[in-house]
């Protein structure tokens, strides 16, 4: 993996591009959900995607990851087409997108993170299990490894999803609302993991709802409402002007000085 | 007929042996694949596929003019597959929800099939008699070659299942995630669906178009109650399905005029019924028992906590207090006091009560737990 070392004080230095999106346009029916998105995400940032409901935040992630087929546009990861770089990318879907009554255990779900590198037919072995257990430990869920997933709380389920992505040992992480419906202690645990990922030189892209925590958690932000409104470092562009442009009402958030 | 005689007959009598084996294998393969249909929330798919197979049978007969089972089932397979892919097409291309698409295709194909059947019955061809047995199935028509076909397909299905276990599991649990890992989910999807169609078509001769979906769903629904592991669920579903076949055949063979297919379905339904009520973790019975026990324990603990509050203000913790001061507390009743005494948490003497050493400790720990969870 070609990861450049980062100076901790300036993690968002514009150097290598981790993700580059060109002219991305997506429509479910007639009305476009995303219109002509150009996006450049530098390596090593912790980026929030913010925007109102229906702005296309999840759609953007899903289109980048090839889950949805865009009408136009292309995505490249470290300069090569996404299809060739899948192993560098991990995905944390929305917690509500799966049936948690599925008959399986926490460890088993985390093991799914190893399926991609295994490829077709090959079964996970001891090495995969060891990696999965390590990931469970990182999210503080080792004690719950044998638990049926329906018996986990919402926050624990979210941690399991995060652990599954960690197992992939990717360079770029896409997360769809990881803070949704989790308690305060899980939120802190998750943000600590995200910060640790950034420190390790990984790029983390998060669909985020809580505007208040953007300056505290993230160093890079993208405003999205069907079109891209703005993207850049939080300290430069997270202001009332962009918030108003994105949310359509006169938005005032007091950013702590 | 007693059981011993019957078992002897199963081994020696050609017809009975063939039917028992056939229905057992059929039950196993449909139970196995049914687990996937149930977990994908496509329970109705089986019903739609089996109904969609009917016109295929009729058309195959119209083309060949003969009643060869394999040819008719091939027709059923083709029209079952066509129906399935139409359903998928409707769901992806229109705004219709899957239940609408399933219902639409089910009635459309079944109606067309019935039309063809009545048309065939009006024809002078004497061969046509008995084509309607595919509606409700007739296990007695099974011959050894049919059972062989079932065995081969079941074996094939088992191999595919073992080979692509991990792919099936991830598709079932989280399709979008599977896509990001680079799996071609369409291929896995087509593989599962094709085997489901194949299993249904195999069962048409025995169980019939109308009842076939029960073979797919009942064993799987029953199995889900007993386990939280996918592998165990698939195994149990196969087992329940096979036993439904064996028991169903036995019941229908030992009574006159009981059609095998419906009896098998009823036996499978009995598995579901028992599982829904008696499963230790998900069953209604134990759930209700746990619920009541939990409520009673909470009521007891609350009363004990109230008594502790009174006792703790007194230097001697076993100091007797009047029972009537408890009347201010809403959860209190003679019953709770009696069970507290039975558990040796309190002593009752005349009109007074006092906490025992054990009761005091328990109450204290209740408090500690409460404090811990509040932190």
């Amino acid at each position: 993996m070609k990861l450049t070392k980062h100076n901790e004080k300036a993690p968002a230095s514009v150097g290598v591009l981790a993700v580059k999106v060109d002219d991305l346009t997506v429509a479910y029916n007639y009305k476009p959900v995303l219109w002509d998105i150009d996006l450049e995400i530098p390596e090593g940032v912790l980026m929030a995607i913010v925007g109102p409901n229906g702005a296309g935040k999840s759609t953007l992630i899903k289109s980048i990851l090839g889950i949805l087929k865009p009408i136009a546009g292309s995505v490249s990861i470290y300069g090569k087409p996404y299809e060739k770089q899948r192993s560098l990318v991990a995905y944390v879907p929305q917690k509500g997108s799966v049936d948690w009554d599925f008959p399986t255990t926490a460890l088993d779900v985390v093991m799914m993170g190893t399926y991609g590198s295994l490829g077709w037919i090959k079964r996970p072995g001891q090495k995969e299990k060891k990696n999965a257990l390590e990931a469970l430990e990182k999210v503080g869920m080792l004690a719950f490894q044998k638990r049926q997933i329906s018996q986990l709380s919402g926050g624990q389920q979210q941690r399991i999803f995060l652990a599954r992505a960690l197992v992939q040992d990717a360079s770029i992480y896409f997360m769809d609302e990881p803070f949704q419906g989790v308690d305060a202690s899980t939120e802190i645990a998750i943000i600590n993991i995200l910060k640790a990922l950034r420190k390790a030189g990984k790029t983390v892209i998060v669909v985020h709802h809580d505007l208040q925590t953007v300056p505290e958690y993230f160093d890079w932000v993208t405003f999205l409402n069907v079109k891209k409104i703005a993207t850049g470092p939080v300290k430069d562009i997270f202001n009332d002007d962009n918030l108003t442009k994105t949310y359509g009402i006169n938005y005032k958030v007091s950013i702590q000085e | 007929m007693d059981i011993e005689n019957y078992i002897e007959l199963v081994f020696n009598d050609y017809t009975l042996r063939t039917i028992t084996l056939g229905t057992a294998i059929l039950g196993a393969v449909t139970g196995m694949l049914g687990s996937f249909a149930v977990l994908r929330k496509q329970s109705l798919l089986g019903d739609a596929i089996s109904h969609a197979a009917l016109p295929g049978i009729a058309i195959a007969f119209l083309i060949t003019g003969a009643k060869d089972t394999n040819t008719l089932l091939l027709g059923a397979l083709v029209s079952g597959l066509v129906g399935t892919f139409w359903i998928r097409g409707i769901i992806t291309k229109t705004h219709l929800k899957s239940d609408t698409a399933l219902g639409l295709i089910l009635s459309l194909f079944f109606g067309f099939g019935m039309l063809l059947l009545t048309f065939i019955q009006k024809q002078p061809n004497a061969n046509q008699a008995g084509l309607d047995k595919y509606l409700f199935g007739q296990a007695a028509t099974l011959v050894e070659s049919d059972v062989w076909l079932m065995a081969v397909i079941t074996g094939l299905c088992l191999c595919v299942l073992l080979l692509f276990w991990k792919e099936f599991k991830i598709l079932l649990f989280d399709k979008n995630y599977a896509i990001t890992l680079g799996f071609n989910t369409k291929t896995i999807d087509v593989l599962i669906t094709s085997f489901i169609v194949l299993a249904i078509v195999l069962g048409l001769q025995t169980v019939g178009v109308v009842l076939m979906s029960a073979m797919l769903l009942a064993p799987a629904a029953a199995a889900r109650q007993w386990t939280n592991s996918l592998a165990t669920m698939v195994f149990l579903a196969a087992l329940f399905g096979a036993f439904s076949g064996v028991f169903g055949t036995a019941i229908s063979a030992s009574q006159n005029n009981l059609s095998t297919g419906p009896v098998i379905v009823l036996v499978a339904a009995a598995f579901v019924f028992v599982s829904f009520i008696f499963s230790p973790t998900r069953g209604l019975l134990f759930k209700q028992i746990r619920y009541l026990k939990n409520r009673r324990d909470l009521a007891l603990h609350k009363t004990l906590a109230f008594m502790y509050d009174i006792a703790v203000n007194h230097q001697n913790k076993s100091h007797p207090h009047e029972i009537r001061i408890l009347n201010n507390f809403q959860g209190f009743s003679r019953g709770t006091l009696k069970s507290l005494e039975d558990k040796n948490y309190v002593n009752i003497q005349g009109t007074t009560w006092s906490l025992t050493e054990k009761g005091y400790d328990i109450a204290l720990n209740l408090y500690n737990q409460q404090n811990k969870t509040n932190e």
Side-chain angles (χ1 to χ4, degrees):
Chain A
M1 245 180 285
K2 39 172 187 172
L3 292 173
T4 45
K5 283 265 186 301
H6 277 280
N7 185 344
E8 243 247 88
K9 275 175 194 160
S13 62
V14 184
V16 186
L17 272 188
V19 182
K20 190 166 185 294
V21 178
D22 287 309
D23 306 329
L24 190 74
T25 301
V26 182
Y28 289 121
N29 298 307
Y30 305 104
K31 226 175 124 195
V33 184
L34 290 175
W35 181 254
D36 201 24
I37 306 287
D38 291 313
L39 195 59
E40 295 186 343
I41 306 172
E43 183 185 52
V45 298
L46 182 45
M47 183 180 99
I49 302 175
V50 297
N53 289 336
K57 303 185 293 289
S58 296
T59 305
L60 175 61
I61 286 193
K62 284 182 183 164
S63 317
I64 291 174
L65 294 171
I67 296 166
L68 293 172
K69 206 168 168 290
I71 286 175
S74 65
V75 175
S76 65
I77 304 289
Y78 284 113
K80 286 185 194 156
Y82 164 70
E83 287 74 23
K84 291 185 176 159
Q85 303 278 63
R86 274 185 208 278
S87 60
L88 298 180
V89 179
Y91 174 47
V92 179
Q94 271 186 32
K95 185 160 57 70
S97 65
V98 303
D99 172 17
W100 287 93
D101 197 35
F102 192 81
T104 191
T105 59
L107 176 62
D108 213 30
V109 172
V110 179
M111 292 274 267
M112 288 177 187
T114 67
Y115 287 8
S117 58
L118 283 168
W120 288 86
I121 296 176
K122 223 178 135 201
R123 298 283 189 102
Q126 283 306 313
K127 188 180 131 232
E128 282 74 23
K129 192 177 172 188
K130 197 178 131 264
N131 292 342
L133 288 172
E134 272 172 25
L136 272 170
E137 191 167 18
K138 274 185 207 155
V139 299
M141 289 290 293
L142 196 57
F144 296 90
Q145 53 166 304
K146 296 216 170 82
R147 192 71 77 86
Q148 150 70 18
I149 52 171
S150 65
Q151 288 159 10
L152 299 169
S153 71
Q156 290 170 332
Q157 290 172 346
Q158 190 65 61
R159 290 185 199 209
I160 293 297
F161 259 13
L162 194 59
R164 184 175 70 172
L166 291 179
V167 168
Q168 289 180 254
D169 194 26
S171 307
I172 304 169
Y173 291 80
F174 287 93
M175 306 188 182
D176 203 343
E177 304 213 21
F179 299 110
Q180 196 184 45
V182 304
D183 54 24
S185 69
T186 299
E187 178 151 345
I188 292 166
I190 293 176
I191 195 65
N192 283 338
I193 290 166
L194 300 195
K195 283 179 174 165
L197 284 172
R198 178 182 53 187
K199 208 171 169 185
K202 318 275 187 182
T203 311
V204 185
I205 296 127
V206 179
V207 171
H208 196 59
H209 244 307
D210 182 12
L211 291 171
Q212 306 296 330
T213 53
V214 169
E216 186 190 340
Y217 291 171
F218 300 96
D219 56 21
W220 207 267
V221 63
T222 293
F223 290 95
L224 189 74
N225 191 352
V226 183
K227 293 181 205 168
K228 185 190 75 180
I229 311 292
T231 184
V234 170
K235 59 178 174 0
D236 297 342
I237 68 156
F238 193 71
N239 51 38
D240 290 349
D241 185 33
N242 278 327
L243 282 166
T244 307
K245 270 190 208 157
T246 309
Y247 288 85
I249 46 170
N250 214 351
Y251 222 99
K252 289 262 184 280
V253 284
S254 46
I255 303 168
Q256 278 119 15
E257 298 300 316
Chain B
M1 187 168 14
D2 61 43
I3 295 171
E4 239 170 83
N5 278 344
Y6 179 77
I7 293 172
E8 209 183 303
L9 210 59
V10 168
F11 283 101
N12 296 325
D13 182 75
Y14 169 82
T15 315
L16 196 56
R17 188 180 58 210
T18 312
I19 296 174
T20 306
L21 258 176
T23 51
I25 294 174
L26 179 70
V29 71
T30 50
M32 224 152 52
L33 291 164
S35 306
F36 294 103
V38 167
L39 289 175
R40 297 185 73 188
K41 308 203 176 2
Q42 289 184 332
S43 300
L44 266 176
L45 183 68
D47 213 18
I49 294 170
S50 64
H51 283 77
L54 191 63
I57 294 172
I59 290 170
F61 177 79
L62 281 174
I63 293 172
T64 62
K67 235 173 29 198
D68 172 51
T69 311
N70 289 343
T71 320
L72 295 186
L73 289 187
L74 195 66
L77 181 65
V78 172
S79 90
L81 283 173
V82 170
T84 313
F85 289 106
W86 278 17
I87 291 167
R88 286 165 50 106
I90 290 176
I91 294 170
T92 48
K93 297 279 189 295
T94 73
H95 288 292
L96 293 177
K97 294 277 178 291
S98 65
D99 58 338
T100 316
L102 287 165
L104 206 65
I105 293 298
L106 181 152
S107 37
L108 187 73
F109 274 63
F110 189 65
F112 184 52
M114 289 303 286
L115 193 79
L116 289 176
L117 274 192
T118 42
F119 171 73
I120 290 168
Q121 274 168 2
K122 295 271 158 58
Q123 296 232 314
N125 185 347
N127 223 345
Q128 47 87 8
L131 209 58
D132 55 344
K133 75 170 191 224
Y134 283 97
L135 279 180
F136 299 107
Q138 200 169 10
T141 59
L142 280 177
V143 292
E144 214 173 279
S145 64
D146 297 332
V147 177
W148 272 115
L149 183 68
M150 284 182 188
V152 167
I153 300 222
T154 306
L156 198 67
C157 173
L158 206 60
C159 289
V160 169
L161 221 60
L162 287 174
L163 223 51
F164 297 102
W165 180 255
K166 148 173 139 273
E167 286 77 11
F168 284 170
K169 182 156 69 178
I170 197 164
L171 177 78
L172 252 49
F173 178 63
D174 196 344
K175 187 180 169 192
N176 283 350
Y177 185 68
I179 294 173
T180 68
L181 292 182
F183 288 105
N184 187 339
T185 50
K186 224 173 211 162
T187 309
I188 313 173
D189 196 12
V190 167
L191 204 60
I192 295 187
T193 312
S194 306
F195 268 99
I196 291 178
V197 175
L198 209 56
I200 286 172
V201 168
L202 275 182
L204 291 183
Q205 193 187 354
T206 320
V207 182
V209 163
V210 179
L211 290 176
M212 195 50 217
S213 67
M215 291 296 291
L216 209 60
L217 307 183
R224 180 67 189 91
Q225 294 293 309
W226 297 97
T227 177
N228 279 327
S229 139
L230 180 62
T232 318
M233 178 180 167
V234 172
F235 176 74
L236 275 181
L239 207 66
F240 289 165
F243 274 117
S244 304
V246 173
F247 291 152
T249 308
I251 293 169
S252 98
S254 51
Q255 306 288 328
N256 280 334
N257 301 324
L258 277 187
S259 177
T260 314
V263 177
I264 294 176
V265 168
L266 284 179
V267 174
F271 273 110
V272 175
F273 186 71
V274 170
S275 305
F276 276 6
I277 293 184
F278 295 106
S279 144
T281 51
R282 298 167 73 98
L284 292 174
L285 184 66
F286 291 99
K287 241 188 199 163
Q288 190 62 25
I289 290 173
R290 268 198 305 277
Y291 172 73
L292 289 176
K293 188 180 175 307
N294 202 16
R295 275 189 75 96
R296 212 182 47 222
D297 285 354
L298 275 178
L300 274 188
H301 286 158
K302 199 73 187 71
T303 310
L304 191 65
F306 184 67
M307 293 167 129
Y308 173 87
D309 278 342
I310 298 168
V312 81
N313 291 325
H314 216 277
Q315 281 203 329
N316 174 12
K317 54 190 172 189
S318 326
H319 181 85
H321 299 271
E322 287 290 321
I323 288 178
R324 61 187 153 78
I325 60 171
L326 293 175
N327 288 343
N328 293 332
F329 177 61
Q330 284 203 324
F332 166 74
S333 73
R334 295 273 153 194
T336 47
L337 198 62
K338 180 82 176 47
S339 13
L340 283 172
E341 193 188 14
D342 290 345
K343 290 191 171 194
N344 207 14
Y345 292 169
V346 294
N347 279 324
I348 310 263
Q349 274 185 332
T351 60
T352 62
W353 61 268
S354 60
L355 277 179
T356 62
E357 203 64 41
K358 191 177 163 199
Y360 190 85
D361 284 346
I362 296 276
L364 190 66
N365 283 328
L366 283 179
Y367 266 55
N368 287 343
Q369 272 170 16
Q370 207 61 48
N371 287 340
K372 243 180 230 159
T373 47
N374 282 348
E375 266 166 23

